[in-house]
Amino acid sequence: MQPLPGFRDFRPDDCAARNYIFARWRDVAGRYGFVEWDGPLLEPTDLYRKKSGPEIIDQLFNFIDKGEREVALRPELTPTLARVIAAHEREFKKPLKWFSIGPFFRYEKQQRGRLREHFQLNCDIIGEKKIDADVELVCLAIDVLRSFGFTENDFFVRLNERLAWADYFAKKGGDVLRVNDLYHVIDKIGRQPREITEATLEGLNMNPQDVWNFIEDPSWYSGFFAGFKNLLAERGMDRFVEFDPTIVRGLDYYTGIVFEVFDRRKKLRAIAGGGRYDNLIEQLSDGAISMPALGFAMGDVVLGELINEAAAARDQMQKAIAAGRKIDVYIVIAKEQRRADALAQIQQLRDRGYRVDYPLTAEKVGKQFQTAEDLGASLALLYGDEWPQVKVKNLATREESLIAHQALLDSVAKFFNVSASA
Ligand code: HAM
């Protein structure tokens, strides 16, 4: 039996890589003062039908539950966040800075960088309409990727202001109610044959050549972008960001600045994407609560591919995983008569927080030392003929000493205090 298409098993190495990614995500979000939250994996289908846009609706994993409710596995977090904020905003001081890490489900065609279950880091700022929040969010996305060892040679942010397209559309006589259709065509420009794009633009009464010209020379809003770049430059982050009028995002709720993060070689799908959605909370609360909001999500799939392709990032991950797996002490049981004494000691060491392992059944001493090395133990304690003394071996220096078993705990504590401060 195989897992379903687009779903993954996480064997220990995969799980270690996933935990490594989550740890970096959590760490950097914390550095920016974001607090963690989460929502349910299953939501009423209507939450997405109303708010997410056609592409995601087509990809919903939805069904009728035993109570005859139409439900869907969450394809994204933003509608849930808007629902929670609309219901509970009074409980929190603004602006809110929330992050979340969890699984998402989209019934996509399985392809490189796109699966049916993936994990996302979501970071959102609620209750701040000034551009400083947009800059902070973009910097957070950049710093998350820098924490994996990536530089501006590995990835970049493509940023745009959706309103520029809305203005352009209105000035060209477009039907304001159909502006989302324009965003969908622009969003698909790189993924769709040019004839289809042009036919769709014509269907919106747009002259395709005029649209290409606008993309080539978007001087209408170069002032906005220069301002944004200056704010980034103040923190030395402008080298990561490029202005790109073709970035509009496929989701319907965005209202302002939008951005996506790509690998520099443009070989992979988007690593992350987000933007401002100032009207979503108001729409979800039927006008009761109006609050500006912005956020982004980064997926684990493309990120994992990028880590594996960049030697420095891959080394950093492998070292971190190896360090995280290391045990402190391996107990070598050379004489089975000493097993009970060894187990008593193991219990005490584990109670004090040390990571300890030992052979569950009788094994040759040489094999036990090999296991100690494989597990990255710092110390081996050998229970054998020396009893009531125990042989302590520093596995890095190969030094050995004999310690009375009553003094072992102190001796181990001293060793780790010294090696922790070394
Ligand atoms: P999104 O662009 O749909 O945005 O997804 C964000 C990221 O999730 C993508 O850049 C990609 O890395 C990853 N991702 C999405 N779908 C898949 C998939 N099928 N397989 C693997 N990875 C995938 C959103 O979801 C917005 N809700 C983000 C946001 C948060 N906007 C405001 N706040």
Side-chain angles (χ1 to χ4, degrees), residues 76 78 106 108 113-115 118 120 122 124 249 251 253-254 270-274 277 295-297 299 301:
E76 58 156 338
T78 315
R106 296 185 190 181
E108 291 210 40
R114 287 291 178 270
L115 299 175
H118 70 283
Q120 283 185 359
N122 274 261
D124 293 86
R249 310 275 295 135
L251 295 154
Y253 46 68
Y254 292 112
I271 308 163
Y277 49 100
F296 75 86
V301 181

Side-chain angles (χ1 to χ4, degrees), residues 216-232:
E216 288 304 313
D217 175 28
S219 47
W220 298 29
Y221 49 116
S222 55
F224 150 77
F225 193 62
F228 198 88
K229 267 244 169 178
N230 278 342
L231 291 170
L232 288 166

Side-chain angles (χ1 to χ4, degrees), residues 78-254:
T78 315
T80 301
L81 174 62
R83 173 176 62 67
V84 172
I85 298 293
H88 300 285
E89 59 89 22
R90 280 160 191 259
E91 296 162 33
F92 305 101
K93 224 173 118 212
K94 309 323 162 276
L96 283 75
K97 299 196 293 180
W98 285 11
F99 81 95
S100 189
I101 296 173
F104 293 86
F105 305 87
R106 296 185 190 181
Y107 201 90
E108 291 210 40
K109 199 162 150 274
Q110 195 181 334
Q111 51 190 297
R112 189 160 186 215
R114 287 291 178 270
L115 299 175
R116 290 186 178 167
E117 183 190 35
H118 70 283
F119 290 84
Q120 283 185 359
L121 162 72
N122 274 261
C123 297
D124 293 86
I125 303 177
I126 318 289
E128 182 52 70
K129 59 176 187 308
K130 293 218 183 93
I131 197 166
D132 307 63
D134 303 67
V135 177
E136 177 79 351
L137 193 74
V138 170
C139 288
L140 169 54
I142 295 169
D143 273 342
V144 168
L145 288 171
R146 288 180 60 222
S147 80
F148 289 95
F150 296 126
T151 68
E152 66 271 31
N153 299 324
D154 299 306
F155 75 93
F156 71 122
V157 179
R158 297 160 76 188
L159 185 129
N160 191 20
E161 165 59 88
R162 246 192 188 197
L163 291 178
W165 277 110
D167 281 354
Y168 168 81
F169 193 53
K171 285 194 180 121
K172 297 287 166 188
D175 174 358
V176 187
L177 295 175
R178 295 190 68 191
V179 69
N180 274 336
D181 295 341
L182 176 71
Y183 296 146
H184 297 152
V185 199
I186 306 298
D187 180 55
K188 290 207 192 90
I189 272 181
R191 289 176 276 148
Q192 201 155 255
R194 195 170 166 124
E195 312 82 72
I196 298 187
T197 304
E198 297 197 339
T200 323
L201 285 171
E202 276 160 7
L204 287 166
N205 291 330
M206 293 283 103
N207 173 341
Q209 190 50 52
D210 202 45
V211 170
W212 302 134
N213 293 346
F214 180 65
I215 291 173
E216 288 304 313
D217 175 28
S219 47
W220 298 29
Y221 49 116
S222 55
F224 150 77
F225 193 62
F228 198 88
K229 267 244 169 178
N230 278 342
L231 291 170
L232 288 166
E234 283 171 6
R235 6 197 329 175
M237 292 294 214
D238 52 324
R239 65 189 192 278
F240 291 97
V241 182
E242 283 176 18
F243 172 59
D244 186 336
T246 64
I247 296 296
V248 286
R249 310 275 295 135
L251 295 154
D252 282 347
Y253 46 68
Y254 292 112

Side-chain angles (χ1 to χ4, degrees), residues 41 71 79 176 185 215 219 248 253 276 302 324 352 361 377-379:
L41 299 198
V71 293
V176 187
V185 199
I215 291 173
S219 47
V248 286
Y253 46 68
R276 223 174 227 286
V302 183
R352 278 166 180 71
T361 53
S378 303
L379 280 185

